[in-house]
Amino acid sequence: MKLKHILFFLFLAQIGFTLLMKYFSYEGDNSAELHTRILKYFTEEDIQSGTEYDRRGFFVSVLSSLLDFALAGIFVFTPISERLENYLQKKTKERFYLVVTSFFLVFYLVEFLVSLPFSYYFGFVLEHEFQFSNMTLMDWVVLKSKSFSLGLVFGTIGILIITFVLKNFPRLWKWMVPAISLGFGLIASVLFPILITPIFYDYHPIEEGSLKTKILALCDHAQIKVENIYVIDESRYSGHTNAYFTGWGENKKIFLYDTLIKNHTEEEVVSVLGHEIGHWVHNHQLIDIAISTFEVLLLCFAIGFLFQKAKGEGLLPLKEFYSPSSLPFLFMVLSIIGSFTQPISSTISRVFEVEADREALNLTHDKKSFISTEIKLAKDNKSRLNPHKFEVIYEHSHPTALERIEMAEKY
Ligand SMILES: [Zn+2]
């Protein structure tokens, strides 16, 4: 069987699988046993509202996926990418990096325009319907333009660096790309809170008071040095709640959503932070970076091999490996491999989350606040309380609220 046919077959299988997962996700797990377990902590209305929020815009999301697949199929299996590159070559008088940039611009714009109505529907219309969003239409347009411009700038820089490496280091690129992505990952984790967060949020150091004292005591107890604790104004966008750590070494910062502070007791905020500290104590971020660097390395070898094989067959319209018109092919191969490996990365992530939850309990010895936090978080974010088992295994990065509560009960 030719590689082109295998790729086409896998592509169709990926579409079928995506639709099947959407169906499972819609259905959830309706077993009576689970229902009774959930009702120990939640009400029928909680289950109902989580299900409704999870099912929001189901048919529109199916349509959106199908459109994405159609677009990918057209770019890979028809000569359109090759023709576009030839056209751009003529227009730019064969200036290679200009061709790369303009090809990427076309690709990025098409993708943006196709996804715009969906993003408006899910990110604005439905978020208002479920009373999460606090944005006016203008706020949403501004937010969207900011993320569009950032994607454009970083995407262009990324694509130029990668094509430069692919073109000039035909043997070494497989080692260089993972090294570069590692470097960028590390730099980004330091620069993100300094450069990117301020574009989207206003944030200020947490006020002096009992909450700050409790957080510092917790960090002290966990022997973690924190440079500062910030409160960011998520409430200008939505009612969703969150907290996270950024930076390395002495440079660590804690970010708390103002929505978290508003809706939770101080003990509950401390419990959430205990979880974040758990990630630090167990070096989850470092392990994540190591795993993803290794993953990029394997992927480079895989796509290098597959591209040569596909080009050798001559059945797909492929130019050089570093040609911009090869990008859709490379993206498709990556996305297919990704759909096989996703359950692995989701499972690793869930294992880490359980570890962080245990650490939160170790640090705070406050089972009651841990459980009340989980209940509130699930209610406030309208979490699906009865997701389908397959969906959890395949794509959930966190255990379900009920699993986390039951873990704490047994602790
Ligand atoms: Zn976590």
Side-chain angles (χ1 to χ4, degrees):
M1 206 168 169
K2 296 281 188 212
L3 190 66
K4 178 189 174 179
H5 302 132
I6 297 176
L7 186 68
F8 190 65
F9 171 77
L10 287 176
F11 175 61
L12 293 182
Q14 193 191 17
I15 298 175
F17 185 70
T18 306
L19 295 179
L20 188 69
M21 285 308 293
K22 281 194 180 288
Y23 168 75
F24 283 143
S25 149
Y26 185 88
E27 277 295 300
D29 181 343
N30 296 310
S31 75
E33 185 262 344
L34 178 66
H35 200 81
T36 334
R37 271 162 60 209
I38 297 173
L39 286 180
K40 265 177 84 182
Y41 307 97
F42 297 93
T43 63
E44 290 283 353
E45 291 83 71
D46 295 332
I47 302 180
Q48 192 57 30
S49 76
T51 303
E52 276 168 18
Y53 184 60
D54 197 38
R55 286 180 175 176
R56 69 195 185 282
F58 177 73
F59 288 105
V60 182
S61 93
V62 169
L63 180 70
S64 157
S65 297
L66 288 177
L67 257 176
D68 277 343
F69 279 120
L71 219 73
I74 291 171
F75 268 106
V76 174
F77 295 109
T78 72
I80 192 170
S81 299
E82 199 188 12
R83 283 193 197 146
L84 176 64
E85 184 177 335
N86 292 342
Y87 172 78
L88 293 173
Q89 259 174 346
K90 237 184 279 164
K91 285 279 161 197
T92 58
K93 305 205 175 73
E94 311 238 348
R95 273 171 286 192
F96 178 71
Y97 292 103
L98 211 53
V99 179
V100 172
T101 309
S102 44
F103 189 94
F104 174 72
L105 284 183
V106 174
F107 204 63
Y108 187 74
L109 264 178
V110 170
E111 167 59 29
F112 177 76
L113 290 177
V114 169
S115 66
L116 191 61
F118 298 105
S119 138
Y120 170 71
Y121 182 62
F122 283 99
F124 188 78
V125 178
L126 288 183
E127 286 294 277
H128 274 283
E129 206 168 287
F130 284 89
Q131 282 137 26
F132 274 126
S133 185
N134 302 326
M135 282 186 280
T136 63
L137 185 60
M138 200 52 212
D139 291 338
W140 182 81
V141 172
V142 170
L143 176 71
K144 206 63 205 160
S145 324
K146 283 179 185 171
S147 54
F148 172 81
S149 327
L150 277 179
L152 191 66
V153 171
F154 286 103
T156 313
I157 295 173
I159 228 70
L160 283 173
I161 293 177
I162 288 187
T163 38
F164 175 80
V165 172
L166 297 185
K167 190 168 190 281
N168 294 292
F169 303 93
R171 279 171 199 288
L172 280 178
W173 71 267
K174 287 173 191 145
W175 300 98
M176 290 173 71
V177 172
I180 292 171
S181 84
L182 172 66
F184 265 85
L186 290 175
I187 295 171
S189 66
V190 175
L191 291 188
F192 198 91
I194 302 167
L195 296 180
I196 310 296
T197 310
I199 299 179
F200 293 97
Y201 295 101
D202 281 335
Y203 59 88
H204 56 86
I206 191 169
E207 285 164 29
E208 294 299 327
S210 55
L211 180 60
K212 185 176 176 182
T213 314
K214 282 175 190 161
I215 294 173
L216 289 177
L218 178 78
C219 294
D220 214 41
H221 179 48
Q223 293 173 326
I224 283 203
K225 278 211 175 70
V226 175
E227 187 200 288
N228 216 335
I229 307 163
Y230 296 98
V231 179
I232 64 177
D233 59 341
E234 172 65 24
S235 58
R236 75 196 261 193
Y237 297 122
S238 86
H240 290 289
T241 50
N242 202 0
Y244 59 90
F245 264 69
T246 61
W248 303 97
E250 306 278 295
N251 215 309
K252 282 196 284 290
K253 297 177 174 66
I254 297 176
F255 286 87
L256 298 172
Y257 281 24
D258 57 351
T259 44
L260 184 77
I261 298 178
K262 216 179 322 176
N263 302 341
H264 291 255
T265 65
E266 292 186 351
E267 282 69 28
E268 288 169 346
V269 175
V270 167
S271 176
V272 170
L273 277 175
H275 171 95
E276 297 307 320
I277 290 177
H279 283 305
W280 266 101
V281 173
H282 293 278
N283 292 313
H284 290 160
Q285 242 157 337
L286 280 176
I287 302 175
D288 266 339
I289 290 178
I291 293 177
S292 71
T293 306
F294 184 63
E295 195 185 338
V296 173
L297 183 71
L298 289 183
L299 285 173
C300 283
F301 275 87
I303 55 172
F305 170 76
L306 291 171
F307 183 87
Q308 286 313 327
K309 209 164 153 53
K311 191 168 158 58
E313 273 176 7
L315 294 177
L316 283 168
L318 295 172
K319 297 177 129 188
E320 296 304 325
F321 188 55
Y322 51 79
S323 305
S325 59
S326 306
L327 276 179
F329 171 84
L330 301 181
F331 279 140
M332 179 177 280
V333 173
L334 287 180
S335 142
I336 289 174
I337 297 179
S339 51
F340 284 107
T341 54
Q342 190 174 351
I344 306 175
S345 41
S346 304
T347 304
I348 294 176
S349 167
R350 287 196 309 279
V351 169
F352 285 178
E353 294 304 331
V354 172
E355 227 169 18
D357 278 349
R358 289 233 164 87
E359 195 60 46
L361 290 164
N362 284 340
L363 284 170
T364 59
H365 299 293
D366 188 356
K367 209 156 119 171
K368 203 173 127 253
S369 300
F370 181 95
I371 293 174
S372 61
T373 308
E374 285 306 319
I375 294 175
K376 260 192 212 170
L377 285 175
K379 283 179 189 246
D380 290 351
N381 291 305
K382 296 195 205 295
S383 304
R384 182 80 183 253
L385 296 168
N386 55 355
H388 198 281
K389 274 192 201 82
F390 290 158
E391 190 199 352
V392 175
I393 295 172
Y394 190 76
E395 54 194 23
H396 278 208
S397 59
H398 289 65
T400 64
L402 183 67
E403 284 168 339
R404 299 176 83 168
I405 293 167
E406 289 179 340
M407 187 281 287
E409 290 281 21
K410 283 190 209 122
Y411 176 80

